[in-house]
Amino acid sequence: MATMADVARSAGVSVATVSHVLNGTRPVSPGTRQAVLDAVDALGYTPNTLARSLVTARTRSIGLAVSAISNPYFTEILQGVEAAALEAGYGLLLADPHDDPVHERKVVQFLHERRVDGVIVAPSAQPGELVGYLARHAVPTVFLDRMTDPPAAGDSAPAASGPRFDQVGAESAAPTARLVAHLAGLGHRRIGMVAGLPGLSTTRERVAGYLDGLAAAGLAHDNRLLVSGNSESACAERATAALLALSEPPTALVTADNAMTLGALRTLRRRGLSVPGDIALCCFDDFPWADLFSPRLTAVAQPSRELGAQAVRLLLERLAEPDRPPRTLRLPCAFVHRTSCGCPEQPERPGAAAHTVSPVLPESPPEPLSEKGTAS
């Protein structure tokens, strides 16, 4: 294999100059830079990243730990992370924590022992052991999608005035309130919710949004209408069945992620119930085939790829400035108006989208709709 010294001889420059060209560590004249690149191409030189990491103490690699990577939402996040990492010259090591606190700590330790420069993690509902490991070893970390507020569950560290790690996630409360407000505006007074796994920040925030939406619409909260689907399809099937078994079942349903949406739809189909004829449905999380369901699903769409890209940017900023204060970023979602909510199909116009997409901004309080069928 060609070496850096071979490249230097071929280009007629020093080894140090080759290093500066390849690593961008010092400006080099355009002619010299091109001579080095031509020599690299002619000799088929490949940088020895292991040798470089011994010198720089950096591997230019990022560890990503997210559960359920088969979930379309996390798949798109992964695509955003990978694209941003590659653009910055970083490789990616991937692990699945399976939403298990013990396994989560093990896979993050595995990534750390492989000398990744930092990690991006979607933490479990009980991240205490993980947080403790990351804090003890001062691992540059960004929490993705799910937030952790100190002290984390099971963490004995003293509480701080803010998060100890950089975090990025989508707004959850206001968009969920928007779904509830939309259903209330269509005349629904018993609106049920299939919520996610207890302990996750996304679950807490979406439940809070559900309650805020009921309050804004002047609707009383019935505890029986709020059930947990544990962020799983099978659990959501059982949760939806429990709602339907009530003496006064809901006339509309909000599901808190795409896996639970599928579970709810399975139960409704088995019961012979139509959407939205027998029960209206709105869901948190849009996914590629939501527009192909009949009826088409009214949903909150998260900026999943941008979440992944922002996580990488936060991590790179942390690597460049290790002592700066932690940052938390919240990205807005979009309300995707289709027909599962009970609104009539909107006629397509040439060149127009088949559904309405509008941003859900955290500073905009939800407003109940006053007229049935009016688009939000």
Side-chain angles (χ1 to χ4, degrees):
M1 294 179 63
T3 66
M4 192 177 289
D6 296 330
V7 173
R9 280 192 296 271
S10 177
V13 299
S14 68
V15 171
T17 298
V18 174
S19 177
H20 290 314
V21 170
L22 297 180
N23 297 315
T25 49
R26 197 181 72 184
V28 176
S29 69
T32 300
R33 182 176 183 276
Q34 190 58 52
V36 170
L37 295 178
D38 289 344
V40 166
D41 186 56
L43 296 172
Y45 171 72
T46 302
N48 188 331
T49 55
L50 292 177
R52 180 189 298 171
S53 67
L54 292 174
V55 175
T56 64
R58 292 282 181 90
T59 60
R60 297 194 71 81
S61 60
I62 293 171
L64 175 64
V66 295
S67 296
I69 55 178
S70 60
N71 184 319
Y73 170 63
F74 281 115
T75 299
E76 291 192 2
I77 282 182
L78 170 59
Q79 292 169 349
V81 170
E82 182 182 42
L86 288 176
E87 183 179 357
Y90 280 76
L92 195 63
L93 274 69
L94 181 64
D96 187 341
H98 300 296
D99 270 332
D100 175 79
V102 175
H103 189 65
E104 171 181 66
R105 198 271 302 159
K106 287 181 179 178
V107 299
V108 170
Q109 180 177 344
F110 172 86
L111 293 171
H112 181 221
E113 290 173 349
R114 266 58 186 175
R115 296 297 184 263
V116 294
D117 293 339
V119 296
I120 298 172
V121 186
S124 69
Q126 296 177 305
E129 193 172 345
L130 168 69
V131 169
Y133 179 88
L134 294 170
R136 284 193 305 273
H137 296 277
V139 182
T141 302
V142 174
F143 286 131
L144 172 64
D145 181 61
R146 303 158 176 180
M147 306 295 183
T148 63
D149 298 319
D155 188 3
S156 59
S161 59
R164 285 165 289 174
F165 299 94
D166 295 304
Q167 306 181 115
V168 59
E171 291 290 341
S172 284
T176 307
R178 173 76 173 274
L179 294 179
V180 174
H182 182 63
L183 292 169
L186 295 174
H188 294 283
R189 293 296 174 263
R190 289 186 63 75
I191 302 171
M193 182 182 190
V194 181
L197 183 67
L200 294 180
S201 66
T202 48
T203 298
R204 292 193 300 270
E205 291 165 7
R206 291 169 198 174
V207 168
Y210 166 73
L211 298 176
D212 288 346
L214 292 177
L219 301 178
H221 168 52
D222 184 342
N223 286 327
R224 297 172 299 172
L225 295 179
L226 176 59
V227 295
S228 176
N230 285 327
S231 302
E232 296 177 354
S233 180
C235 290
E237 291 182 44
R238 295 190 290 271
T240 304
L243 288 173
L244 296 177
L246 293 173
S247 57
E248 293 183 83
T251 62
L253 191 60
V254 173
T255 51
D257 71 19
N258 54 27
M260 293 187 291
T261 298
L262 295 177
L265 286 170
R266 288 193 189 98
T267 293
L268 295 175
R269 183 184 62 186
R270 281 200 300 267
R271 299 295 179 91
L273 299 177
S274 68
V275 176
D278 296 311
I279 185 168
L281 176 68
C282 289
C283 54
F284 205 104
D285 279 344
D286 199 24
F287 41 97
W289 54 88
D291 200 36
L292 302 178
F293 278 86
S294 181
R296 299 182 301 116
L297 299 179
T298 295
V300 164
Q302 300 192 74
S304 47
R305 294 197 184 196
E306 183 59 21
L307 285 171
Q310 287 288 2
V312 172
R313 295 180 190 121
L314 276 178
L315 184 57
L316 295 181
E317 290 175 10
R318 171 63 54 197
L319 294 174
E321 299 180 68
D323 298 325
R324 69 167 176 75
R327 295 175 59 196
T328 294
L329 298 182
R330 290 284 195 170
L331 304 187
C333 296
F335 176 78
V336 186
H337 186 205
R338 300 189 181 105
T339 57
S340 64
C341 54
C343 291
E345 188 76 49
Q346 300 295 316
E348 290 191 47
R349 301 184 305 275
H355 54 260
T356 302
V357 180
S358 56
V360 179
L361 302 176
E363 62 270 20
S364 301
E367 296 182 2
L369 302 180
S370 59
E371 182 178 348
K372 185 173 182 179
T374 302
S376 292

